[in-house]
Amino acid sequence: MSSDTQLAALLLSNQLTRLEVAPLKAREFWGLVDRTDALGIDVGVLLTDATVRAQVAEGDVSEQRLTGLLDATRAFAFEIERLGEGGITLLSALDERFPVLLRDRMQHGCPPHLFAAGATDVLLLRRLAIVTDAIDNAIEPIVQQAVAATVVAGWATVVGAPGQSGNDGGQAIDDVVLDESGACGSTPIVVAANGINRAARSPDVRKLVQQQALCLVSPFVPDTTASPATSRARDAVVQAMADRTLVVACADGTGPTWATALASVEREPASVLSFTGAGSRPGNAALVGLGAVDIEHIDTLHDHLS
């Protein structure tokens, strides 16, 4: 992928600089990519060829809007340099490191870019997402064993953050995954529900990022505050970017874990592994009934990571 292609793609969805025209939303961006692909045109050509811009302009994505976005190269370069000084990389959806599964599964809803910090190379590995409604004394060791299984398989673990803590004082799932990954010497991928600057305010997270012991990812502008909407979007990204999703504990018919897992089962049943052993919840068996793969014993998880 040429540097012009990536630059053009980033400029088209640029939310880092203030412009007189609005950046392309996900559906607008992917619609434009579809039109350029259909014409056999590289997106990077839009940087220099006004004729091509006019050719691919459509509806609200006018030639004037495209020109306004693509002409912001200097201001955008300054912001990219500033991010780089903070150890943050902006990955275009057309970048080789961008998870292909995320593009394939979310289609026109896929974020046009991701902010990433730390060990971004792990994005090239196969990935297991681990999700759960809560962590308690029964569930925590299941999560730990799942992380260990990904290490043995040569996969990366994906988890959302900030996580939800168990009612009995157990750790949040992201904390459990980070601790177990550290013990195993592996590098997890953590997808934040807020902007990457806010997510990295935690001293522990910042240290792991600096040590390249963590890949921190966010689809949101760096200073975005977490909200129910960003949490739902985070959950969708976590499961869409993973080759497989392990649902450890899930309520039946309610809650964010159920909603996202159900969407994943409906889209690709074999991609969802539902733990039904001791400590699981009614939703786990319900997911199996809908087509998810039954993992009754966590020791068999490795059989599905190949």
Side-chain angles (χ1 to χ4, degrees):
M1 193 69 64
S2 73
S3 57
D4 281 353
T5 303
Q6 294 183 40
L7 175 59
L10 291 173
L11 287 169
L12 290 168
S13 59
N14 171 23
Q15 295 179 318
L16 295 175
T17 59
R18 288 191 173 185
L19 302 173
E20 294 182 359
V21 292
L24 301 189
K25 298 176 183 177
R27 60 176 177 80
E28 295 175 323
F29 174 82
W30 290 111
L32 177 66
V33 170
D34 286 347
R35 293 195 295 279
T36 56
D37 286 348
L39 294 168
I41 298 171
D42 188 296
V43 172
V45 175
L46 298 175
L47 286 169
T48 56
D49 196 325
T51 301
V52 175
R53 292 181 200 171
Q55 188 177 4
V56 300
E58 180 178 286
D60 291 338
V61 184
S62 64
E63 180 184 356
Q64 180 182 8
R65 187 177 174 194
L66 292 175
T67 299
L69 292 168
L70 294 166
D71 282 352
T73 307
R74 182 174 298 179
F76 182 71
F78 175 78
E79 293 299 327
I80 290 296
E81 182 178 356
R82 193 158 65 92
L83 287 175
E85 290 173 352
I88 299 170
T89 299
L90 182 57
L91 294 178
S92 158
L94 303 183
D95 189 298
E96 293 177 351
R97 292 170 293 177
F98 194 95
V100 174
L101 283 173
L102 191 57
R103 296 200 304 263
D104 292 346
R105 288 172 173 165
M106 297 192 75
Q107 299 184 2
H108 282 201
C110 177
H113 55 252
L114 292 173
F115 293 89
T120 57
D121 286 350
V122 298
L123 292 170
L124 298 172
L125 298 177
R126 300 195 72 182
R127 299 170 292 274
L128 174 72
I130 303 177
V131 299
T132 185
D133 276 346
I135 292 288
D136 58 25
N137 292 334
I139 293 301
E140 187 170 329
I142 301 302
V143 173
Q144 293 170 333
Q145 290 178 70
V147 172
T150 64
V151 176
V152 173
W155 288 35
T157 303
V158 185
V159 68
Q164 296 177 322
S165 297
N167 295 327
D168 66 348
Q171 289 183 286
I173 185 172
D174 51 308
D175 291 332
V176 176
V177 168
L178 289 176
D179 288 348
E180 186 63 19
S181 296
C184 294
S186 64
T187 305
I189 301 166
V190 175
V191 183
N194 50 8
I196 201 165
N197 284 343
R198 291 184 179 272
R201 286 179 181 176
S202 162
D204 292 341
V205 170
R206 189 163 58 249
K207 181 179 179 181
L208 290 172
V209 167
Q210 291 170 345
Q211 293 175 340
Q212 299 291 299
L214 168 69
C215 179
L216 181 63
V217 173
S218 172
F220 311 111
V221 175
D223 291 315
T224 299
T225 302
S227 69
T230 63
S231 294
R232 289 191 295 271
R234 180 273 320 274
D235 292 345
V237 168
V238 166
Q239 295 195 39
M241 73 185 293
D243 295 78
R244 302 282 188 277
T245 293
L246 175 67
V247 181
V248 182
C250 178
D252 186 0
T254 185
T257 302
W258 168 266
T260 313
L262 177 61
S264 296
V265 169
E266 291 175 340
R267 179 184 61 219
E268 192 177 336
S271 72
V272 179
L273 314 175
S274 187
F275 174 68
T276 58
S280 63
R281 304 290 193 268
N284 294 67
L287 288 171
V288 171
L290 293 169
V293 177
D294 188 358
I295 304 292
E296 184 177 358
H297 303 288
I298 197 64
D299 291 344
T300 65
L301 175 63
H302 64 85
D303 294 336
H304 303 274
L305 306 182
S306 59

